[in-house]
Amino acid sequence: LQKPLFQVVSARASIIIEACKRLGVDGVLCRYHVGCRNVSADAIILRNEIIRQLAIPVLLIQWESFDPRIYNEVDLRAQLQAFKEIMTERASAKRLNKDSMTL
């Protein structure tokens, strides 16, 4: 869905957002190729649309297939840990809201 040659970004955003709704996801991980400007820009647009329309967190993860110097395990672990904490807090808040509605 991130290939700009196949569909415009607005069409891809609609497909992704509808899939998120259908699946009931609480957050999105989006991995994109850092060396491709089209894909990088589209990933930011997709992230912004998902956040705007669904109000769920989106983590953009950069990757590079050809240059191992781009990959930084420490940074990636920190990003994933922060995203995990956000998701855990949201799940806890969701459970509290659900429990308070049943009382």
Side-chain angles (χ1 to χ4, degrees), residues 4-102:
L5 300 174
F6 301 123
Q7 280 184 322
V8 296
V9 70
S10 60
R12 284 179 280 136
S14 295
I15 292 168
I16 292 168
I17 288 166
E18 288 307 312
C20 289
K21 288 177 184 176
R22 191 173 57 253
L23 296 170
V25 300
D26 296 321
V28 174
L29 294 172
C30 180
R31 182 181 70 117
Y32 68 96
H33 186 258
V34 72
C36 180
R37 295 199 188 276
N38 289 342
V39 173
S40 297
D42 285 4
I44 294 167
I45 293 168
L46 291 171
R47 180 198 65 201
N48 292 345
E49 277 303 299
I50 293 168
I51 292 170
R52 184 180 72 76
Q53 292 189 37
L54 301 177
I56 60 175
V58 178
L59 174 61
L60 295 181
I61 298 174
Q62 298 176 347
W63 67 276
E64 168 59 64
S65 298
F66 308 105
D67 188 349
R69 296 172 297 173
I70 301 296
Y71 176 76
N72 184 319
E73 184 177 350
V74 174
D75 288 346
L76 180 58
R77 284 185 184 274
Q79 289 175 334
L80 289 170
Q81 183 61 36
F83 190 72
K84 178 183 173 185
E85 289 170 11
I86 290 168
M87 297 303 296
T88 301
E89 288 173 13
R90 287 176 60 92
S92 295
K94 198 174 186 179
R95 278 193 299 277
L96 286 174
N97 287 339
K98 185 178 177 183
D99 290 345
S100 67
M101 285 188 218
T102 59

